[in-house]
Amino acid sequence: MFDPLVIGDTVLSSRLFIGTGKYSRNTLIPEVIACSGSEVITVALRRVDPAGGTENIMNHIPEHMKLLPNTSGARTAEEAVRIARLARAAGLGNWVKIEVINDQKYLLPDNLETIRATEILAAEGFVVLPYMSPDLSVALRLRDVGAAAVMPLGSPIGTNRGLRTKELLRILIEEVNLPIIVDAGIGRPSEAAEAMEMGAAAVLLNTAIATARDPLGMAEAFREAVSAGRKAYLAGLGPVEESAAASSPLTGFLG
C-alpha cells in the first residue's frame, strides 16, 4: 500500500527524517541514508574559511535527497530569517527548519520568536517546518501563519531520553490539522515506533543513529520501526482495558 507523506508540493514515501551531525566521518552519511531509506536530511549552515580546507558536507549527500536546512544558531526571528534566506540563495531550496534557541542548557526553542520567523518566511514562499516546544496554542498559531508542518520535541536535543512530552504530542496530533513530525530526543527505535503508532506523520532524529556503535545497523532498525509504527497506526490499535478480558468465551469449560 502506497502511503505517502505530503509536505508542500513534495510527496515522500519515507517518514524518517535524519540529520548530518556527530558522525565519526562524513563518508558514513550516504551509507546511513541508504540504510535508513530516508528522503529528507537536515543540514546546518556554518561560516567557513575557504582556505581552511573545511570539508563540504554537501559532497556526501546524494542528489535525490530533499534538503532541510535548519537555522541552528539563531537566537531571534531576524537571525533565523537571515539564515533561511542565505540557504535559499546558496541553492539549498525553499524548505527550512526553523530553530530559534536562547536557552543554552536545555536547548529549548523560543516559541514566540519561532512564530515570528515562520510568518515572515511562509509569506516569502518558504516551506516552513518549525521546531517547537509542544504547546497547542503555539502549534495552532504556527499553522495559521503558514507552517507546512510542526516539529515538536520529544525531549531535549541530543539526549536520547525518548518521548517525555508524550501527552502533549498526543494533543497536537489530535487537534492540529498539519503533519506532526516528532523531532529531538528519540533514542530508541521503539520510541520512534511509538510516536508513529500515536499518529505522528514522521520523526526526525540524528544522535541516536550517529552515536550508535553501528550507525548503519541502527539506521536500518529505525527504518523498520518507523514503518512498523505507521502500519500499526493505520491498522488501528486495540482498546486498552483496566480489567482482564478473556480472549476465549468463559463458558463450556471441560473441568
Side-chain angles (χ1 to χ4, degrees), residues 134-156:
D135 178 286
L136 178 58
S137 296
V138 172
L140 293 173
R141 181 65 177 152
L142 288 167
R143 180 199 63 188
D144 293 344
V145 300
V150 293
M151 306 183 75
L153 59 89
S155 53

Side-chain angles (χ1 to χ4, degrees), residues 61 67 71 76 126 160 166 171 179 206 219 230 234 242 248 251-252:
I61 299 177
L67 296 175
T71 63
T76 64
F126 282 88
N160 287 344
K166 182 176 176 180
I171 293 172
N206 178 77
R230 178 64 180 177
L234 294 176
E242 292 294 327
S248 301
T251 58

Side-chain angles (χ1 to χ4, degrees), residues 106-151:
Y106 297 105
L107 300 178
L108 296 175
D110 185 326
N111 280 346
L112 297 180
E113 291 295 295
T114 299
I115 293 171
R116 289 182 58 220
T118 297
E119 184 170 20
I120 294 169
L121 292 170
E124 294 182 7
F126 282 88
V127 177
V128 185
L129 289 76
Y131 171 59
M132 59 170 297
S133 290
D135 178 286
L136 178 58
S137 296
V138 172
L140 293 173
R141 181 65 177 152
L142 288 167
R143 180 199 63 188
D144 293 344
V145 300
V150 293
M151 306 183 75

Side-chain angles (χ1 to χ4, degrees), residues 132-140 143 150 152-153 163-182 195 198-200 233:
M132 59 170 297
S133 290
D135 178 286
L136 178 58
S137 296
V138 172
L140 293 173
R143 180 199 63 188
V150 293
L153 59 89
L163 303 177
R164 298 301 178 101
T165 59
K166 182 176 176 180
E167 287 306 308
L168 297 173
L169 295 173
R170 181 185 58 77
I171 293 172
L172 265 57
I173 290 168
E174 290 179 358
E175 301 296 331
V176 182
N177 187 28
L178 279 181
I180 305 296
I181 302 170
V182 179
M198 291 168 57
Y233 170 74

